[in-house]
Amino acid sequence: MRVTNLSRRPVDFEQADAINQAIRLLSLRHRARAAALLAPLGLHTGQEALLLELDRSGPMIQAQLSGALGCEPPSVTLMTRKLEASGHIRRSPAPTDKRASVVELTDSGRALAKEVKQLWRELAEETVAGLPQRTVAELPGLLTTLTGNVDNRRR
């Protein structure tokens, strides 16, 4: 199914290619840079998002964590196992459902989340260097719209 916005002209191939290539390259390079920044902390990409989500939202069931992170439950299970083994999170049976696990940060995890926040600020500053402040302010909304557009097309 092809979706077009009737309020503007369709995108020609050259523009489409430029947009798609730019997004693809940004994604690859941003992920690689994030991996390089996280490695000294003993983290792999994805684990920082889990730590930051728990820091932001507090303890939650793994299924909720999976939804919040937008990733599959087996990925969250693997990340939680590794972070638990390193002492950064704790898992315990949910009080209402013994099959579910509640995940929460340990003191070590809270300290690590604080370090991740600093790295995230540095990565964001590197990423938007040279852009006007107004563009930087608009960027989260623009990227959220792009993500929503892609998500809506998959349904």
Side-chain angles (χ1 to χ4, degrees):
M1 177 171 139
R2 191 167 154 231
V3 179
T4 47
N5 184 338
L6 299 177
S7 65
R8 61 173 171 73
R9 292 189 324 204
V11 175
D12 64 23
F13 175 76
E14 287 74 22
Q15 187 179 24
D17 190 44
I19 291 168
N20 291 321
Q21 287 292 347
I23 291 170
R24 184 182 70 79
L25 289 173
L26 173 61
S27 177
L28 290 170
R29 291 183 178 146
H30 189 272
R31 184 174 174 91
R33 182 65 179 131
L37 290 170
L38 293 168
L41 299 179
L43 293 174
H44 297 283
T45 52
Q47 292 176 327
E48 83 290 350
L50 189 149
L51 290 169
L52 292 173
E53 184 60 36
L54 290 174
D55 186 63
R56 181 177 22 261
S57 302
M60 62 176 61
I61 294 172
Q62 269 188 223
Q64 294 170 319
L65 193 51
S66 177
L69 297 174
C71 59
E72 297 297 319
S75 298
V76 171
T77 299
L78 182 62
M79 284 190 283
T80 56
R81 283 183 185 154
K82 289 180 178 182
L83 289 168
E84 184 177 39
S86 61
H88 301 306
I89 64 163
R90 172 177 34 253
R91 292 187 298 168
S92 57
T96 57
D97 181 356
K98 298 300 178 197
R99 297 170 298 162
S101 294
V102 174
V103 182
E104 63 183 312
L105 291 174
T106 62
D107 290 341
S108 167
R110 277 186 283 285
L112 186 57
K114 189 174 181 178
E115 291 183 67
V116 169
K117 286 178 181 180
Q118 180 57 39
L119 289 179
W120 243 216
R121 285 191 290 271
E122 291 170 18
L123 179 58
E125 287 177 8
E126 287 178 21
T127 304
V128 300
L131 292 177
Q133 186 57 42
R134 181 175 176 183
T135 302
V136 172
E138 293 172 350
L139 200 52
L142 292 170
L143 294 171
T144 298
T145 298
L146 295 176
T147 301
N149 289 345
V150 173
D151 284 348
N152 288 335
R153 303 306 186 264
R154 286 193 324 185
R155 290 187 192 133

